[in-house]
């Protein structure tokens, strides 16, 4: 599909890609709301339940870069279909599983879907939108994780009212993925650009030698170290440090994702209006660092406002990362590889952030957590300063 395709067509495709991308997001977050039911029904321990949840997230760490290479060669349409098929198949297998081994295998299959969609979806946005409109489009796309988390958290209790009905959630994800697999097949079959087809050879080595790409990806890694660690313990922070009720603390933490969706869209609008990414990215992470340092001083009565403000600001950053990649790549086939690198470091940061923050809580306390987060945010800003190929 040419990048001169009608603007209205691009928005329709974006809507399909966004809603399709929520399918692996549903898979990522569907375990937590029904964890107790899964553990009771399968007679498994909390540690085994945790393994079911985290096994999904391990896959993108190892597959994102290879996926980027393969997508460069074979295109987005085929691997978008494979992503949705993986989610549907994995979720269906989970639905009929009666023990740990098949359930873990199914979670790995679903994780393949996330690894694929995490590269394919941003690559499609880069392909179908003109540069002056790409920022807002990328901002909208980056809402797929937050939308998936928010929606499945609300829907899961409705679909599984009893301890033995958790499989209803898995079947819902299966059907949802199949619906968007069909829509993807018909609406996005021409989505791959002619530019990709014109490049006869793909040089992974040249793509990986791009220092600006690495600085952007490492900036994303530091961002995840800062924010994901806090998110894992957000509810505990408000209960332990601010003496809030558990139910209230959990409910206000949900505002982070909603504010983040707004922030992601606003981020895209700012990039398109001001034609800036480098300065904007640096500014966002410096402001985030300042906010992290201010968190311990925020009174309990303003906790909800704090969650909203922090959620809005920090989620300005991911769209900047993924919208910047095309500007630093030397040819179109480098773009999915670069996105794969960013996804790998993003997922690795997410994996180890909780371990680091947990250790800080045990050894230093909550104030140390937010100092650490501020330092990581500054490191992210410094990495963006080192990017040479973005003019502004």
């Amino acid at each position: 599909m040419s990048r001169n395709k009608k603007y209205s067509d691009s928005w329709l495709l974006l809507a399909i890609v966004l809603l399709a991308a929520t399918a692996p997001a549903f898979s990522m977050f569907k375990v937590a709301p029904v964890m107790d039911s899964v553990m009771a029904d399968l007679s498994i321990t909390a540690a085994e339940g945790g393994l079911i949840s985290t096994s999904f997230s391990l896959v993108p760490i190892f597959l994102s870069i290879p996926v980027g290479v393969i997508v460069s060669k074979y295109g987005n349409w085929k691997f978008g279909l494979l992503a949705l098929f993986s989610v549907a198949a994995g979720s269906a297998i989970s639905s009929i599983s009666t023990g740990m081994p098949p359930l873990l295998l199914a979670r790995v299959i679903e994780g393949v879907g996330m690894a694929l969609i995490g590269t394919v979806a941003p690559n499609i946005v880069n392909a179908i939108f003109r540069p002056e409109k790409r920022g807002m489009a990328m901002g909208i796309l980056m809402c797929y994780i937050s939308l998936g988390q928010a929606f499945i958290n609300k829907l899961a209790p409705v679909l599984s009212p009893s301890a033995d009905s958790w499989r209803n959630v898995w079947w819902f994800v299966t059907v949802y993925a199949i619906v968007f697999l069909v829509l993807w097949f018909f609406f996005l079959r021409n989505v791959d650009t002619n530019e990709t087809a014109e490049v006869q050879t793909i040089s992974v080595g040249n793509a990986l030698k791009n220092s600006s790409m690495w600085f952007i990806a490492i900036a994303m890694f530091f961002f995840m170290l800062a924010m994901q660690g806090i998110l894992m313990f957000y509810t505990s922070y408000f209960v332990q440090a601010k003496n809030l009720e558990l139910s209230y603390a959990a409910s206000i933490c949900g505002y982070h994702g909603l504010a983040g969706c707004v922030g992601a869209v606003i981020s895209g609008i700012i990039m398109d209006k001001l034609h800036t990414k480098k300065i904007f990215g640096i500014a966002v992470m410096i402001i985030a660092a300042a906010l992290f340092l201010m968190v311990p001083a925020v009174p309990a009565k303003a906790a909800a406002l704090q969650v909203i403000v922090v959620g809005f600001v920090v989620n300005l950053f991911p769209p900047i990362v993924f919208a910047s990649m095309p500007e630093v790549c030397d040819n179109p086939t480098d773009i999915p590889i670069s996105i794969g690198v960013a996804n790998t470091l993003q997922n690795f940061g997410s994996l180890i952030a909780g371990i680091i923050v947990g250790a800080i809580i045990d050894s230093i306390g909550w104030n140390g957590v937010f100092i650490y987060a501020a330092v990581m945010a500054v490191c992210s800003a410094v990495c963006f300063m080192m990017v040479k190929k973005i003019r502004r």
Side-chain angles (χ1 to χ4, degrees):
M1 177 175 293
S2 170
R3 292 187 184 186
N4 293 321
K5 191 76 174 175
K6 290 182 180 179
Y7 190 65
S8 58
D9 226 10
S10 299
W11 284 112
L12 172 63
L13 296 180
L14 173 62
I16 295 172
V17 172
L18 170 64
L19 294 174
T22 58
F26 287 157
S27 287
M28 176 183 285
F29 297 109
K30 68 185 178 184
V31 177
V34 293
M35 177 67 83
D36 289 343
S37 298
V38 174
M39 291 167 56
D41 190 47
L42 299 181
S43 300
I44 59 176
T45 66
E48 290 172 324
L51 182 59
I52 290 172
S53 183
T54 57
S55 58
F56 176 99
S57 301
L58 289 172
V59 179
I61 295 176
F62 299 101
L63 285 188
S64 291
I65 294 177
V67 164
V69 176
I70 297 170
V71 168
S72 289
K73 185 173 183 180
Y74 295 105
N76 300 292
W77 179 68
K78 294 176 182 177
F79 285 91
L81 291 174
L82 182 58
L84 293 167
F85 177 79
S86 297
V87 172
S91 198
I93 293 171
S94 297
S95 301
I96 59 176
S97 297
T98 57
M100 279 289 291
L103 195 55
L104 285 175
L105 173 62
R107 291 294 286 165
V108 169
I109 294 172
E110 291 175 276
V112 171
M114 177 59 84
L116 290 167
I117 210 71
T119 296
V120 167
N123 200 43
I124 289 175
V125 170
N126 286 325
I128 67 176
F129 280 90
R130 300 187 297 272
E132 64 270 19
K133 298 296 182 182
R134 190 178 293 146
M136 182 176 180
M138 192 65 74
I140 293 172
L141 175 65
M142 288 296 105
C143 295
Y144 76 95
I145 294 290
S146 296
L147 288 175
Q149 182 180 22
F151 190 77
I152 204 68
N153 282 344
K154 294 292 184 182
L155 185 64
V158 176
L159 293 176
S160 56
S162 59
D164 60 349
S165 60
W166 61 269
R167 288 180 173 82
N168 294 344
V169 179
W170 268 250
W171 282 120
F172 165 78
V173 176
T174 301
V175 173
Y176 184 94
I178 291 172
V179 168
F180 280 94
L181 187 152
V182 173
L183 292 175
W184 190 287
F185 180 88
F186 287 107
F187 283 91
L188 285 109
R189 60 186 308 142
N190 297 317
V191 76
D192 294 307
T193 66
N194 291 329
E195 293 171 340
T196 301
E198 290 169 1
V199 179
Q200 300 300 314
T201 60
I202 298 169
S203 176
V204 178
N206 285 340
L208 296 180
K209 288 178 183 177
N210 187 331
S211 61
S212 291
M213 177 274 291
W214 278 106
F215 280 124
I216 294 173
I218 294 170
M220 189 64 180
F221 171 71
F222 282 124
F223 166 82
M224 294 303 293
L225 288 182
M227 195 63 239
Q228 190 63 26
I230 290 176
L231 285 177
M232 289 182 182
F233 293 95
Y234 229 173
T235 301
S236 298
Y237 166 72
F238 288 121
V239 172
Q240 296 176 18
K242 298 299 179 180
N243 298 316
L244 297 181
E245 292 291 333
L246 177 60
S247 58
Y248 177 67
S251 67
I252 64 172
C253 287
Y255 298 156
H256 177 91
L258 298 176
C261 287
V262 177
V265 175
I266 296 298
S267 176
I269 295 173
I270 292 174
M271 283 189 282
D272 289 340
K273 294 293 185 182
L274 300 183
H275 307 293
T276 175
K277 296 180 181 70
K278 183 174 181 177
I279 295 174
F280 186 32
I282 295 168
V284 167
M285 295 317 295
I286 294 298
I287 294 171
L291 287 174
F292 289 143
L293 292 175
M294 294 167 60
V295 165
V298 176
K301 62 182 180 182
L305 178 61
Q306 170 213 303
V307 171
I308 292 170
V309 172
V310 172
F312 175 84
V313 171
V314 299
N315 282 286
L316 294 169
F317 191 67
I320 301 172
V321 168
F322 290 99
S324 296
M325 282 304 186
E327 295 190 16
V328 303
C329 292
D330 295 325
N331 69 62
T333 58
D334 291 349
I335 296 173
I337 298 172
S338 299
I339 292 173
V341 172
N343 281 330
T344 297
L345 293 185
Q346 177 184 11
N347 284 287
F348 183 58
S350 177
L351 179 67
I352 67 174
I355 299 171
I356 295 172
V357 169
I360 293 173
I361 293 170
D362 291 339
S363 59
I364 302 175
W366 289 108
N367 287 348
V369 169
F370 295 103
I371 294 172
Y372 152 82
V375 172
M376 294 300 101
V378 171
C379 289
S380 183
V382 170
C383 286
F384 238 75
M385 291 177 189
M386 302 299 291
V387 177
K388 297 178 180 178
K389 292 187 178 181
I390 302 179
R391 290 191 302 274
R392 296 175 61 192

